[in-house]
């Protein structure tokens, strides 16, 4: 057997043993519990990376097939400026603009639709259907309409994020119980007061669900749209050209950036959700424990 | 009893919304295609009235936005009037995409269920794997699609399997999450009952946990199959594949064939709709056989 692979296997086994031991611990102190909950997945991830490194080195896997993590990391460091330019083009311009517009328009449409029960009955099934369709496919059309630059990518993102937002917000606005609504009526609250004081807060968990779904959808939409034509910058462009030139480590570096961006934006939204919907049972219970 | 409320609660509202969409589509087609006609008239040195523009915007060769009937004509010509084996038949291309969708979906379901079973039974696996499964979804997985295809191509694996791998990667997540939730759904009382029967772990699994998880599995499968289709379509983009709905989209985009793009898009939409409702019907039937009462 070869050295790197054996070392990786040993590391994997050791990490696994530590994890089994950690998972069995039942510490009294809640902050220790939290620490253990972080350590376990981190150790698992580290073991995975070690195994990856061991396999690629031990078996001399050609880097065209699967570059070693260390190689990818080296590439990230050496071409940080390219990655940053791509990130700016794809994420800071297209994704954020499209995300804000798509979610905003979806939200406003939902509030308009909500006023009519008839429209609500019609929009929800159609919206659900459209949300399940392969909307990424509109990418070539948008590139044709809005040109090669980031605007067309933002347009794809708008179309992709609109329907999840619409469906979730409409469902969320309908989520209040009749008792609370009757209470608002006894207060002689106006329609807008009821909307802002009761129904929008109640809809927040649904809205945040849509925001979370959309945060990944937006990035996917922008990257896939870049496969259909783009200026010579952008994450989707980088992936498709570097694959063609067999620079697989560069592709992985881009994927790493994308993963980081996706995870960070998801995490930010989750934090905002916790701050806004602190009253929701799923958080209340955790705070009490 | 059911038919008037079905008409009032389903057919009328949905029909109205669909009609409104088609109306907006026509209006947009006129609005977006008119500049081209005006441009043409100006170049020819003639004035053109709106009543002349209107019919022409409906029948352009390469419209900015094809009118609905143009797309449906194209769909009819490429599905019904062409032989299925013809490379111009949309059914042929749909089948290419569908086959990798289904293979990927099947693999994703097996992987997802296996992961869920492992997660429910091994605490270590739950706490080390679950955060990573969730993180894996914040990664734009479709970004990896081109690489998977090219890499597998370099090893000599091409055709169905690479695309199916992408579909699998996309579809395993909702299934793993839904199935985990389902396997954990039996109440403590039922689990205690199994313990008083002195049931073994595998007996508890087969007789209690698995049946309880089936409704959750069906819901997850509906989500999974539509994103498996997206995966298959995107998987066809990067290699310049010659067949499949994704290839139709790409070719249409290269040659400015908007009608072709739209018809491939609608075909994909129809395919997604059919697949989801198929899963729904099968799931409902399984649920009924297992005695789940409709809510």
């Amino acid at each position: 057997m070869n050295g790197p692979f054996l070392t990786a296997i040993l590391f994997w086994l050791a990490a696994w043993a530590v994890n089994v031991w950690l998972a069995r611990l039942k510490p009294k102190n809640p902050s220790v519990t939290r620490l253990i909950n972080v350590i376990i997945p981190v150790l698992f991830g580290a073991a995975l990376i070690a195994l990856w490194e061991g396999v690629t080195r031990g078996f001399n896997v050609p880097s065209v097939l699967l570059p070693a993590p260390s190689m990818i990391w080296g590439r990230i460091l050496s071409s940080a400026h390219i990655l940053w330019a791509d990130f700016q083009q794809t994420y800071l311009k297209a994704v954020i603009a499209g995300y804000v517009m798509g979610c905003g328009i979806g939200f406003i449409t939902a509030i308009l639709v909500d006023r009519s029960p008839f429209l609500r009955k019609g929009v929800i099934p159609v919206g659900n259907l459209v949300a399940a369709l392969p909307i990424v496919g509109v990418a070539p059309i948008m590139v044709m309409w809005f040109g090669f630059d980031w605007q067309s990518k933002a347009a794809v993102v708008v179309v992709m994020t609109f329907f999840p937002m619409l469906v979730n917000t409409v469902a969320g606005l309908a989520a209040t119980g009749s008792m609370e609504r009757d209470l608002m009526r006894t207060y002689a609250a106006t329609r807008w007061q009821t909307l802002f004081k009761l129904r929008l807060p109640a809809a927040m968990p649904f809205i945040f669900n849509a925001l979370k779904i959309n945060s990944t959808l937006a990035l996917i939409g922008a990257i896939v749209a870049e496969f259909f034509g783009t200026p010579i910058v952008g994450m989707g462009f980088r992936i498709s050209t570097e694959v063609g030139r067999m620079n697989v480590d560069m592709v992985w570096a881009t994927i790493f950036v994308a993963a980081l961006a996706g995870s960070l934006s998801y995490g930010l939204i989750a934090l905002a959700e916790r701050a806004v919907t602190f009253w929701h049972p799923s958080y209340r219970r955790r705070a009490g424990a | 009893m059911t038919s008037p409320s079905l008409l009032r609660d389903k057919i009328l509202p949905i029909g109205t919304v669909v009609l409104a969409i088609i109306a907006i589509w026509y209006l947009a087609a006129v609005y977006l295609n008119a500049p081209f006609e005006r441009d043409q008239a100006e170049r020819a040195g003639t004035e053109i009235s709106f009543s002349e523009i209107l019919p022409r915007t409906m029948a352009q060769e390469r419209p900015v936005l094809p009118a609905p009937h143009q797309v449906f004509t194209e769909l009819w010509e490429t599905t019904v009037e062409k032989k299925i084996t013809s490379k111009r038949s949309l059914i042929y291309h749909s089948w290419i995409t569908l086959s990798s969708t289904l293979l990927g979906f099947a693999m994703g379901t097996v992987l997802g269920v296996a992961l869920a079973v492992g997660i429910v039974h091994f605490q270590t696996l739950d706490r080390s794997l679950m955060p990573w499964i969730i993180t894996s979804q914040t990664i734009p997985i479709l970004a990896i699609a081109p690489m998977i295809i090219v890499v597998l191509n370099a090893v000599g694996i091409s055709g169905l399997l690479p695309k199916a791998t992408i579909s699998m990667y996309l579809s395993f997540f909702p299934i793993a999450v839904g199935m985990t939730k389902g396997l954990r759904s039996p109440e403590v009382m039922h689990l205690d009952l199994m313990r008083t029967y002195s049931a073994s772990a595998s007996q508890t699994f087969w007789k209690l946990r698995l049946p309880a998880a089936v409704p959750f599995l069906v819901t997850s499968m509906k989500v999974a199959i539509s994103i498996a289709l997206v995966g298959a379509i995107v998987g066809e983009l990067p290699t310049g594949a010659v067949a499949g709905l994704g290839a139709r989209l790409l070719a249409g985009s290269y040659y400015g064939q908007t009608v072709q793009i739209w018809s491939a898009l609608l075909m994909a939409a129809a395919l997604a709709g059919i697949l989801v409702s198929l899963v729904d019907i099968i799931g409902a039937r399984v649920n009924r056989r297992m005695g789940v009462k409709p809510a």
Side-chain angles (χ1 to χ4, degrees), chain B:
Chain B
M1 240 339 257
T2 48
S3 58
S5 69
L6 183 73
L7 183 72
R8 201 181 56 227
D9 288 339
K10 286 261 161 73
I11 297 171
L12 262 183
I14 298 176
T16 314
V17 170
V18 169
L19 279 182
I21 290 173
I22 293 180
I24 293 171
W25 186 350
Y26 265 113
L27 286 180
V30 172
Y31 176 76
L32 286 169
N33 297 337
F36 174 77
E37 292 299 332
R38 278 203 201 95
D39 202 38
Q40 289 287 94
E42 205 171 302
R43 272 188 209 168
T46 51
E47 278 290 308
I48 186 164
S49 71
F50 185 71
S51 58
E52 281 175 291
I53 291 181
L54 196 61
R56 291 193 200 179
T57 57
M58 298 283 115
Q60 278 177 14
E61 184 87 353
R62 291 177 181 184
V64 180
L65 175 63
H69 65 260
Q70 277 180 299
V71 177
F72 285 112
T73 318
E74 165 89 5
L75 269 179
W76 178 261
E77 279 172 4
T78 49
T79 51
V80 182
E81 292 181 1
K82 292 269 187 318
K83 261 203 222 122
I84 294 177
T85 48
S86 158
K87 288 233 158 85
R88 286 162 161 262
S89 162
L90 209 50
I91 305 243
Y92 164 78
H93 290 286
S94 303
W95 168 245
I96 302 275
T97 307
L98 184 65
S99 55
S100 56
T101 305
L102 290 179
L103 181 61
F105 174 66
M107 296 195 304
T109 309
V110 171
L111 179 64
V113 170
L115 275 176
V117 171
I119 283 171
V120 169
H121 282 92
F122 300 102
Q123 211 200 357
T124 322
L125 211 55
D126 171 28
R127 288 173 68 183
S128 50
L129 202 57
M130 209 54 185
W132 287 104
I133 290 184
I134 291 168
T135 317
S136 83
Q137 296 306 301
T138 62
I139 301 170
I141 294 144
L142 286 178
I144 312 180
M147 207 184 44
I148 295 177
I149 301 237
V150 170
V151 163
L152 288 182
N153 206 15
V155 203
I157 304 168
S158 59
L160 200 61
L161 205 58
K163 287 192 284 172
T165 312
I166 292 160
S167 295
M168 175 192 83
Y169 200 114
L170 282 167
S171 56
F172 93 91
F173 172 71
I175 295 207
V177 170
M179 193 70 184
T180 308
K181 205 172 166 192
L183 289 174
R184 290 214 171 114
S185 67
E187 288 159 38
V188 181
M189 219 199 288
H190 296 154
L191 287 170
D192 281 346
L193 185 65
M194 291 306 274
R195 206 164 304 137
T196 62
Y197 290 162
S198 82
S200 67
S202 72
Q203 279 172 326
T204 314
F205 177 77
W206 289 109
K207 305 235 151 107
L208 175 62
R209 284 189 189 273
L210 196 63
V214 167
F216 291 85
L217 183 63
V218 170
T219 322
S220 316
M221 280 167 91
K222 279 201 300 193
V223 179
I225 199 158
S226 63
I227 52 177
L229 182 65
V230 174
I233 290 175
V234 173
E236 285 162 357
L237 297 179
T239 40
V242 283
L245 291 176
R248 291 285 279 190
L249 285 175
L250 201 61
S253 139
Y254 277 152
Y255 303 112
Q257 296 285 357
T258 33
V259 184
Q260 182 187 322
I261 299 179
W262 280 91
S263 60
L265 208 55
L266 278 195
M267 195 67 193
L271 212 55
I274 292 169
L275 287 176
V276 171
S277 47
L278 260 183
V279 171
D280 199 18
I281 291 169
I282 295 171
R285 194 159 285 182
V286 171
N287 275 346
R288 211 175 315 134
R289 280 289 294 272
M290 292 183 38
V292 174
K293 298 214 171 57

Side-chain angles (χ1 to χ4, degrees), chain A residues 85-103:
Chain A
D86 291 343
F87 179 75
Q88 270 182 314
Q89 168 77 13
T90 305
Y91 195 83
L92 297 184
K93 288 181 187 166
V95 171
I96 291 187
Y99 182 77
V100 170
M101 277 196 282
C103 292

